[in-house]
Amino acid sequence: MSDSLVEDIRARADILEIVGEHVQLRRSGKSYRGPCPLHGGDGPNFAVDPQRQIFKCFVCGEGGDVFGFLMKHLGFEFPDAVRHVGARVGIEVPERDEHREDPYAPLRGVLAFAAEWYRDRLREPSGEGARNYLRGRGLSLEDALDFGIGYADDEWRALRTAATRHGIEERTLLELGLLATSEKAEEPYDRFRGRLMFTIHDLRDRPIGFGGRILDARSDAPKYINSPESPVFHKGEELYALDRARHAIRREDHAAIAEGFTDVIALHRAGLEFAVAGLGTSFTAAQARRLVRYSQRAYLLYDSDSAGLRATFRTGDILLAAGVHPMVVSLPSGEDPDSLIRKEGPAAIRHLMDDAVDLLERKLQILRREGYLDRVEGRRRAVDGLLSTLRAVADPALRDIYVDRAVEGLGIRRETLVHEIVRSGGPGATRRPPAPTARTPDDHPRVESRIEREFLLLLVRDPALARRALRVGLSSDHLRDPPAREIFEIFSMAVDEGEDTVDWSSASPAARERRAELQEVDEEIRDPGQVFEAAARRLLYRGHRERLDEINRELQLADTEQQRRLLSEKQELAQELRAAGEAATFMPRPGQGRPASAGRQGAASAGFTG
């Protein structure tokens, strides 16, 4: 829709009339006042100015024009709000993209046919078992059909036959994953058989895929299967029931994330219409980015067993990275939202949501309950268990709060925790593979350090250069690749013993192979002596530069006192580099992180790692 069309609708709209349908307003000077419908206030803090066509709440701070009111109060998206107001003032707004032909319209037509066919099967005698299953979960046939639930006959080619009668080509059914193939079958067959079918819709309420639940408990087939990827369905990006939930999510300013289709349906029927679910085994960053368009707060209603906790914390970290603040709802053991609502009613879920705790706080509760904070070794493991959450959070203010809370809960110094966050790939760190120090002597690194390779190449060509390296203070500890360290140690031993020749008899196979590889390099290096000394100095002071990078990242999390210490250390390191003739920013940032300790297994047992 054009800007001129939007402005025309805004100019014709009467914000007082539209807002007045939702708020009881009384004249107060040039404006009208009433209780705020956005935060639920009682006093006359919500003002509408008909002359300027704006609203403002002086308590919660929300404000805007007529479109903004509908978006904040009713959860409309901007085009829907414009369309709603346009209808009020007699201006027709064209549907989105109706001027452009949909290249996937034929595929969407087939998906709509399949969705309706599954719904029809649920009504038929063959769907009696499915209807009984739904009744056992408190769902009537009408409720099920309203949520797009259907049934796939337990036959090999029922859908295929019906689609063929309607002129639908087999290749289209295969492209959409409605049919499947196998080396054991001569012809394609229905992918979904004997399953309760949940239709997955896009935001325009169009079917894009399906999820099927097996009804035969004796079957060894997967309990749930989803449609495979297709031109119109991308499992890692979609959220089940977002088409229904998005307005409620905007209106309530939070979402609820459940694990499955039936949980979401139960929550919607209980009045919690802001519930959605991911598709598949794990929540994705793309799904989190989609959710943050509607709210920056989400309640996680996963199972409370160890698998559910792992899923909770994994999803929570993904949400934090996308800018969504996750709250953990602790369900009773053995219960999910659907079963709990059937047993105790909607109020039980609402009560648990009222008692929800922040993701980090939930981790600390478990660590305290499991006794990790009662002993030194346990505290070390506890740090590892919290790192994924501390480094995931994207909001700087929340990140600072998390660090303070973790310091308090773990009983360690803030400086120590900040250092651990940065080393493990925290704020500002470039995510790279672990440093070569984690390799065994027989491993060959896939990508050698450019400087280490250059240093070794020159050393192999002229062993006398080893004396220069030792003279400036270089040792094998300054090299990270194990074969490289071993080669330098062999050259250093020859220098210490005053030998003119190098004894390779004790070298490992990896060191011998590396030396042979370097001997075959015919690369020409001008002024090798000067290049060698420069490489040796860079290796010697590499730790200085890495520490400077760490300090820069730690400063983002440090408090005032820690910042003073870090800045002082930074100045000393920079002075040492300048005195050695080395630039502080010459080298690219190396990989960060340390090898996972055995203690991580303890954190994993608490459900913290995936």
Side-chain angles (χ1 to χ4, degrees):
M1 60 186 71
S2 65
D3 291 342
S4 59
L5 178 63
V6 173
E7 288 304 319
D8 190 17
I9 294 173
R10 183 185 284 112
R12 295 193 191 188
D14 183 352
I15 190 172
L16 185 62
E17 177 184 347
I18 292 175
V19 174
E21 295 176 356
H22 305 273
V23 187
Q24 187 173 0
L25 298 169
R26 293 185 178 181
R27 190 179 184 92
S28 177
K30 294 182 179 180
S31 66
Y32 288 76
R33 294 291 191 101
C36 178
L38 304 181
H39 78 274
D42 297 324
N45 301 303
F46 182 85
V48 176
D49 186 333
Q51 184 175 359
R52 298 167 63 194
Q53 288 292 299
I54 61 172
F55 74 93
K56 176 71 176 179
C57 175
F58 298 99
V59 174
C60 68
E62 295 286 2
D65 60 9
V66 64
F67 304 135
F69 176 78
L70 294 173
M71 291 169 67
K72 297 176 191 300
H73 183 52
L74 299 180
F76 285 177
E77 292 186 54
F78 179 73
D80 297 327
V82 174
R83 202 169 278 111
H84 179 84
V85 178
R88 296 287 299 270
V89 300
I91 298 178
E92 183 178 357
V93 180
E95 287 293 325
R96 279 172 282 187
D97 298 332
E98 69 177 21
H99 63 285
R100 190 171 63 213
E101 185 177 351
D102 182 1
Y104 301 124
L107 299 182
R108 299 188 194 283
V110 173
L111 287 164
F113 164 80
E116 188 59 34
W117 189 82
Y118 290 135
R119 282 159 53 93
D120 288 341
R121 296 306 95 194
L122 186 63
R123 298 186 183 98
E124 298 296 323
S126 61
E128 182 179 1
R131 294 195 298 272
N132 290 337
Y133 173 84
L134 291 170
R135 277 194 291 271
R137 287 183 169 263
L139 271 175
S140 67
L141 176 62
E142 292 72 22
D143 288 334
L145 295 175
D146 178 58
F147 277 95
I149 298 177
Y151 174 66
D153 288 331
D154 193 9
E155 299 178 17
W156 283 96
R157 294 177 177 86
L159 173 63
R160 179 189 179 212
T161 301
T164 301
R165 285 199 297 265
H166 284 76
I168 298 174
E169 296 183 3
E170 188 175 277
R171 61 182 179 85
T172 304
L173 297 170
L174 286 167
E175 185 177 11
L176 292 170
L178 295 168
L179 296 186
T181 59
S182 170
E183 295 180 356
K184 300 179 181 179
E186 295 181 359
E187 298 179 353
Y189 54 87
D190 293 358
R191 178 182 297 274
F192 301 99
R193 303 179 310 280
R195 291 180 179 270
L196 197 66
M197 299 298 293
F198 298 88
T199 305
I200 302 165
H201 296 86
D202 66 9
L203 294 181
R204 296 177 66 176
D205 199 30
R206 301 175 298 190
I208 56 175
F210 300 94
R213 187 197 191 283
I214 197 74
L215 290 177
D216 185 357
R218 299 166 299 176
S219 173
D220 58 357
K223 185 177 179 180
Y224 281 97
I225 59 172
N226 291 321
S227 294
E229 294 283 308
S230 76
V232 296
F233 179 60
H234 306 288
K235 183 172 65 175
E237 300 177 8
E238 303 295 340
L239 290 166
Y240 179 67
L242 184 60
D243 56 305
R244 289 174 170 264
R246 56 195 171 116
H247 294 322
I249 293 173
R250 281 190 186 276
R251 184 172 62 249
E252 302 291 338
D253 197 24
H254 61 246
I257 302 175
E259 288 191 86
F261 303 119
T262 54
D263 287 334
V264 170
I265 292 172
L267 289 166
H268 277 252
R269 294 183 65 238
L272 306 175
E273 297 177 337
F274 41 79
V276 296
L279 303 171
T281 55
S282 60
F283 206 79
T284 70
Q287 290 167 334
R289 289 192 296 270
R290 175 162 291 196
L291 191 64
V292 78
R293 300 175 189 172
Y294 303 96
S295 177
Q296 294 181 334
R297 188 178 180 88
Y299 290 86
L300 300 177
L301 288 90
Y302 290 7
D303 293 347
S304 294
D305 58 14
S306 59
L309 284 174
R310 284 195 294 271
T312 295
F313 297 134
R314 185 166 55 242
T315 299
D317 289 347
I318 291 170
L319 291 170
L320 283 170
V324 181
H325 188 186
M327 303 292 291
V328 180
V329 178
S330 297
L331 297 172
S333 178
E335 301 286 359
D336 56 36
D338 179 31
S339 64
L340 187 62
I341 289 171
R342 282 187 280 119
K343 287 181 180 179
E344 302 184 21
I349 289 287
R350 293 184 181 276
H351 178 71
L352 290 176
M353 289 182 64
D354 290 340
D355 292 337
V357 298
D358 170 87
L359 181 77
L360 183 73
E361 195 64 42
R362 181 61 175 143
K363 282 192 172 185
L364 286 169
Q365 286 179 355
I366 294 174
L367 289 169
R368 193 178 301 111
R369 183 188 69 197
E370 298 293 331
Y372 283 91
L373 306 183
D374 298 336
R375 57 191 187 277
V376 173
E377 182 185 0
R379 287 177 185 271
R380 170 66 263 183
R381 295 180 181 181
V383 171
D384 289 334
L386 297 185
L387 282 179
S388 66
T389 295
L390 293 172
R391 68 173 180 250
V393 59
D395 177 32
L398 182 60
R399 184 173 64 220
D400 200 52
I401 293 171
Y402 269 22
V403 172
D404 282 343
R405 181 66 188 96
V407 167
E408 178 186 356
L410 295 172
I412 64 175
R413 292 188 304 149
R414 195 179 203 276
E415 183 176 355
T416 301
L417 184 59
V418 167
H419 187 64
E420 285 292 310
I421 295 170
V422 171
R423 285 174 60 86
S424 66
T430 302
R431 302 295 173 87
R432 302 191 183 195
T437 49
R439 301 182 183 273
T440 64
D442 293 328
D443 286 338
H444 290 276
R446 293 182 180 178
V447 181
E448 283 186 312
S449 161
R450 178 180 61 82
I451 295 175
E452 288 192 16
R453 179 185 177 279
E454 189 176 75
F455 174 81
L456 283 180
L457 177 61
L458 292 168
L459 188 60
V460 168
R461 288 180 179 180
D462 183 2
L465 292 174
R467 194 177 302 277
R468 294 192 188 185
L470 294 170
R471 189 183 303 130
V472 299
L474 195 71
S475 71
S476 60
D477 292 337
H478 291 99
L479 299 170
R480 296 206 172 140
D481 177 38
R485 288 202 301 269
E486 185 179 355
I487 290 172
F488 184 62
E489 285 173 358
I490 292 173
F491 279 114
S492 301
M493 190 181 302
V495 172
D496 291 341
E497 295 176 357
E499 298 290 342
D500 294 330
T501 58
V502 180
D503 181 9
W504 292 96
S505 60
S506 62
S508 69
R512 290 172 185 268
E513 186 175 344
R514 181 61 51 78
R515 173 174 171 256
E517 290 172 357
L518 293 170
Q519 286 176 325
E520 293 177 2
V521 175
D522 59 359
E523 176 183 341
E524 181 182 355
I525 299 179
R526 296 182 179 179
D527 199 351
Q530 184 176 350
V531 172
F532 181 83
E533 288 189 359
R537 284 199 309 272
R538 290 171 202 164
L539 292 173
L540 183 64
Y541 288 99
R542 177 163 54 181
H544 283 57
R545 297 189 189 87
E546 291 177 356
R547 180 55 188 151
L548 284 172
D549 282 346
E550 285 185 354
I551 289 173
N552 288 334
R553 293 192 293 274
E554 288 178 25
L555 285 169
Q556 300 180 45
L557 300 171
D559 56 20
T560 303
E561 181 58 34
Q562 187 180 355
Q563 284 180 353
R564 290 198 199 96
R565 293 196 299 270
L566 289 171
L567 290 172
S568 176
E569 182 185 354
K570 181 178 180 179
Q571 185 176 11
E572 291 178 6
L573 289 170
Q575 287 175 348
E576 291 179 16
L577 284 172
R578 284 194 295 270
E582 288 290 298
T585 58
F586 180 82
M587 290 181 60
R589 289 182 178 178
Q592 298 296 319
R594 62 182 179 82
S597 67
R600 285 191 186 278
Q601 296 177 0
S605 68
F608 290 168
T609 56

